[in-house]
DNA sequence: CTGTTAGCGCGTTCAG
DNA sequence: CTGAACGCGCTAACAG
């Protein structure tokens, strides 16, 4: 008991001399608290589960995910919580052991796929009766034991529309991933509203392609170029898509930004690697992760989510591609 | 007890009818095993700690790390282990709670910094008396309770040297990060040996710069270009460095690969985004992570590391930049 | 095949 | 200020 008091800093209960001896002995024996014992006694796990749903096994390499996880990890560790990460294929969601074992106090979840499938996964998750923070999600927030942390994609699209409208863009080809993330809708709406607010009309044409490989995007845009007139600009729903389009255009001999403009979304490293550098909307991915951590920790402490939705601002970054 | 037997699949001890009732009740009650109880009883944690030492808080965004973690996570989860991730600043290594709490069965560690500092961190870690797998490490393997999993950087450099020698490169500027990773030495040696084996002499000049920002690399190489004759080729110790050099060269009006060649190391996405695409050595980062998982799991099961060092092959990938 | 007993390491409670 | 008793949820061992 005295050892426990020393470790947990209950100085009131321990004499200074005893304290010294205990610390010395802990050092000598390399003693560490066994989490399972403490957690069993205390009825908590002192850890947060991070669930990333993705079809690829390389779920951690998406720039958004890795930054979000970094931000979350920093906040959790600074507060004595550990972070348990799991990448799950959508088809295996229900059978994963995160669902069968109680080992975390709350979840940070990044869903993936069509709305119907996301809703199904969320429902399974809710059954666990643990607080859930959803990242970049648009599902209606019905439950009172969950919240959403996302960035202002609609606002970002407004900024982008403003910029493009000012440059006289009237025809815009938007390059979309095959699985439209939940925030794509917000961006598309923001684009239209932004042009309208600027008093310009715009004709938006979607180009859908599998984002997972650069060459697929490249080929899709190349093929697309042969099938109609060149638009005033291409906008990728993320930087990878925009870069694929950029390279396809350049290889066809269209000078960017003189002949056609290109812009992206997310603002991660590759956007500055290109020539010309990419105009883009910078995602506060790390801040989103940090906000998830703070929200979850507050929820655990206070027993209730203070707000059901947290929206972080994005920033417009002008490159040379527009 | 019967419930426990049902959950753990000890069918021999449970009647079919009872089994059905138990499963049904588990379903109805949303019952899940509490890991802390089970682990306390069983004397294990059923989880692996991943420690990434980095000065940046955004430790997960390095392409090598994120891929390695993805690969590791897949293997662990498939075997019922969870993955506890922690990013640690080198200065805070000793005080981090991973060192004060026993909550994992083994560690996967990615050290960072000068050799002396890495050795110190490793020593603290060893005190924990738990199996350790070191990623991309060159420290001498003294302990019998640890192993190293790395890629064949020396062999990769041989391949690169071969390629460059065949193109008649005689002067080579190597762009290095400020903190030389442990594998940089192997690459440098491989380069020299490779040229020697090809019967060509080469003059290697190191250029050191902070890799964390694209603009720093860009500026460093730009400045360097003014201070001497143009070499036959630039080689970045990773793709980011190579791309920085590539762009600096292009903006100075030097055509790549006609006037000067450029190559990198690691082979992650941005290497194919550039124009011209980058010749590089492809890292098996995900395979390294998977191998760490398998090695650690085998160690836990068999009580001993089968081998102290695991070296995975790399691949040469020709781009248009050479 | 089913249920009882015991103890894993910890921290709360309370007696000394 | 120190330590003894107890029980958190789980499963190995064993009794019925």
């Amino acid at each position: 008991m005295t050892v426990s008091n020393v470790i947990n800093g209950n100085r009131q209960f321990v004499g200074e001399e005893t304290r010294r001896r205990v610390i010395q002995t802990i050092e000598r024996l390399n003693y560490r608290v066994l989490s399972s014992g403490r957690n069993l006694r205390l009825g908590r796990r002192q850890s947060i589960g991070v669930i990333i749903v993705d079809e690829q096994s390389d779920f951690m390499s998406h720039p958004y995910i890795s930054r979000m996880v970094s931000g979350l990890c920093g906040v959790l560790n600074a507060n004595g919580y550990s972070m348990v990460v799991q990448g799950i294929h959508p088809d295996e969601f229900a059978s994963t052991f995160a669902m069968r074992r109680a080992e975390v106090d709350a979840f940070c979840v990044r869903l993936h796929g069509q709305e119907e499938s996301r809703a199904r996964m969320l429902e399974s998750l809710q059954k666990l009766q643990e607080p859930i923070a959803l990242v970049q999600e648009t599902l209606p927030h019905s439950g009172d034991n969950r919240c959403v942390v996302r960035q202002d994609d609609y606002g970002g699209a407004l900024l982008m529309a403003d910029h493009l409208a000012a440059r006289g863009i009237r025809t815009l080809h938007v390059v979309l991933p095959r699985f439209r993330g939940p925030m794509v809708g917000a961006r598309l709406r923001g684009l239209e509203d932004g042009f309208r607010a600027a008093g310009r009309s715009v004709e938006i044409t979607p180009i859908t392609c599998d984002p997972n490989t650069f060459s697929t995007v490249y080929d899709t845009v190349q093929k697309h170029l042969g099938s109609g007139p060149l638009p005033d600009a291409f906008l990728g729903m993320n930087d990878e898509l925009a870069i694929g389009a950029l390279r396809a255009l350049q290889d066809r001999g269209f000078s960017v930004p003189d002949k056609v403009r290109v812009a992206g979304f997310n603002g991660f490293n590759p956007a500055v690697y290109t020539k010309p550098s990419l105009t883009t909307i910078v995602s506060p991915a790390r801040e989103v992760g940090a906000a998830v951590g703070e929200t979850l920790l507050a929820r655990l402490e206070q027993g209730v989510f203070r707000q059901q939705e947290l929206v972080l601002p994005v920033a417009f970054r002008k490159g040379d591609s527009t």
Side-chain angles (χ1 to χ4, degrees), chain A residues 232 246 254-262 276 318-322:
Chain A
D232 297 330
L246 174 66
F254 299 118
S255 159
V256 177
D258 307 323
K259 185 76 180 169
V260 55
R261 325 251 178 162
V262 178
K318 167 87 173 67
D320 299 325
S321 65
T322 53

Side-chain angles (χ1 to χ4, degrees), chain A residues 243 246-247 269-278:
Chain A
I243 293 173
L246 174 66
R247 295 280 281 98
N269 277 348
V272 297
Y273 293 169
T274 57
K275 183 173 170 64
S277 63
L278 201 63

Side-chain angles (χ1 to χ4, degrees), chain A residues 123-150:
Chain A
E123 199 182 350
S124 313
L125 225 35
Q126 300 258 47
K127 282 212 193 115
L128 269 29
Q129 311 258 44
E130 274 162 17
I132 300 171
L134 259 18
V135 175
Q136 286 285 80
E137 187 51 71
T138 50
L139 251 23
H141 2 91
S142 59
D144 65 337
N145 203 13
R146 66 187 224 224
C147 77
V148 171
V149 180
R150 63 179 180 84

Side-chain angles (χ1 to χ4, degrees), chain A residues 95-106:
Chain A
S95 63
T96 186
F97 70 81
M99 308 294 292
R100 304 247 151 275
R101 279 179 1 194
E103 63 172 347
V104 298
D105 295 316

Side-chain angles (χ1 to χ4, degrees), chain A residues 36-101:
Chain A
S36 11
R38 167 185 280 177
N39 293 343
L40 179 58
R41 180 63 180 86
L42 262 25
R44 46 146 139 108
R45 276 58 57 104
Q46 199 79 352
S47 77
I48 303 292
V50 179
I51 295 185
I52 310 294
V53 181
D54 196 335
E55 295 166 293
Q56 295 182 272
S57 63
D58 195 2
F59 64 94
M60 197 54 97
S61 292
H62 299 283
Y64 194 92
I65 300 295
S66 61
R67 278 166 181 72
M68 192 276 286
V69 168
S70 293
L72 175 58
C73 189
V75 170
L76 295 183
N77 290 350
N79 289 278
Y81 275 73
S82 31
M83 183 180 76
V84 178
V85 180
Q86 203 168 160
I88 305 183
H89 193 283
D91 300 340
E92 297 165 357
F93 190 84
S95 63
T96 186
F97 70 81
M99 308 294 292
R100 304 247 151 275
R101 279 179 1 194

